[in-house]
Amino acid sequence: RGDRTTAFRLAEFAHRYVEEGNGNVTRALVEALYYNDVPGRPPLPWSSSLEGHTDYVFSVAFSPDGKRLATGSVDNSAKIWDLQSGRQTLSLEGHTDNVRSVAFSPDGKSLATGSDDNSAKIWDLKSGRQTLSLEGHTDYVLSVAFSPDGKSLATGSGDKSAKIWDLQSGKQTLSLEGHTNYVFSV
């Protein structure tokens, strides 16, 4: 927020104690040094902090147009944020356990969420209402991804399977099995 000394000390602390080889930490330290050494420069740049979840965040996804961000959290909710204002525009509540994964549909009108309650849900982002609950996994739904045409959803689970769902009918069309451990990404 323009406090050059605090920015420098935070960057120095991160460089020294967090992860010396991390490129983001090194960049922050270099920027803090640069802005501290040139007092006539504008204040240090900072981005807004999106605050609203009551526990840590598992997943983050940009909308297709890059104007919104979705977050999924241990507080059992997903939130939609307007990136220009930094304000929360929707809180999507309906899961009974951690929201592990979030994904925007290709047209940006829907959001998919995957949860430790073994389900994936589809949300209409205009109304904020849940439109579909996809149930069939026997363990956490760790990952969700829309097909490029937005008509299907892939889910990956702790039950060692990936499933494909038809979003028109809400029915599972394919179960991909054979992994020997969790499917963390689809």
Side-chain angles (χ1 to χ4, degrees):
R1 296 188 176 137
D3 181 344
R4 294 174 180 177
T5 302
T6 301
F8 173 73
R9 291 294 173 212
L10 285 171
E12 178 186 38
F13 179 83
H15 184 71
R16 201 174 274 173
Y17 299 108
V18 175
E19 191 177 1
E20 188 175 319
N22 182 312
N24 290 328
V25 169
T26 303
R27 182 178 51 78
L29 180 60
V30 168
E31 285 180 3
L33 283 168
Y34 173 76
Y35 280 95
N36 272 344
D37 287 344
V38 185
R41 294 281 178 200
L44 286 168
W46 68 278
S47 56
S48 59
S49 177
L50 305 176
E51 297 178 12
H53 285 291
T54 59
D55 213 326
Y56 61 90
V57 172
F58 266 126
S59 183
V60 175
F62 282 99
S63 63
D65 65 7
K67 295 180 179 180
R68 294 173 294 163
L69 193 74
T71 54
S73 172
V74 172
D75 67 10
N76 305 350
S77 75
K79 297 191 184 299
I80 306 297
W81 308 86
D82 174 76
L83 291 175
Q84 184 160 3
S85 69
R87 296 185 190 273
Q88 175 186 314
T89 59
L90 278 176
S91 183
L92 307 172
E93 299 177 16
H95 284 291
T96 58
D97 210 334
N98 306 328
V99 176
R100 293 266 184 168
S101 184
V102 294
F104 280 94
S105 61
D107 64 7
K109 294 179 180 179
S110 300
L111 187 80
T113 55
S115 171
D116 285 0
D117 65 11
N118 303 351
S119 76
K121 295 186 184 303
I122 306 297
W123 306 85
D124 174 67
L125 295 180
K126 188 172 184 179
S127 68
R129 294 180 187 261
Q130 174 189 315
T131 59
L132 199 54
S133 184
L134 306 171
E135 299 178 19
H137 283 291
T138 58
D139 204 336
Y140 304 156
V141 176
L142 301 169
S143 183
V144 293
F146 281 92
S147 62
D149 64 7
K151 294 179 180 180
S152 299
L153 188 78
T155 55
S157 173
D159 66 11
K160 305 175 190 171
S161 75
K163 296 186 184 301
I164 308 298
W165 306 85
D166 175 68
L167 297 180
Q168 184 73 24
S169 67
K171 304 283 186 203
Q172 175 187 312
T173 59
L174 190 61
S175 184
L176 305 168
E177 299 178 18
H179 288 284
T180 58
N181 213 329
Y182 291 1
V183 178
F184 277 103
S185 184
V186 290

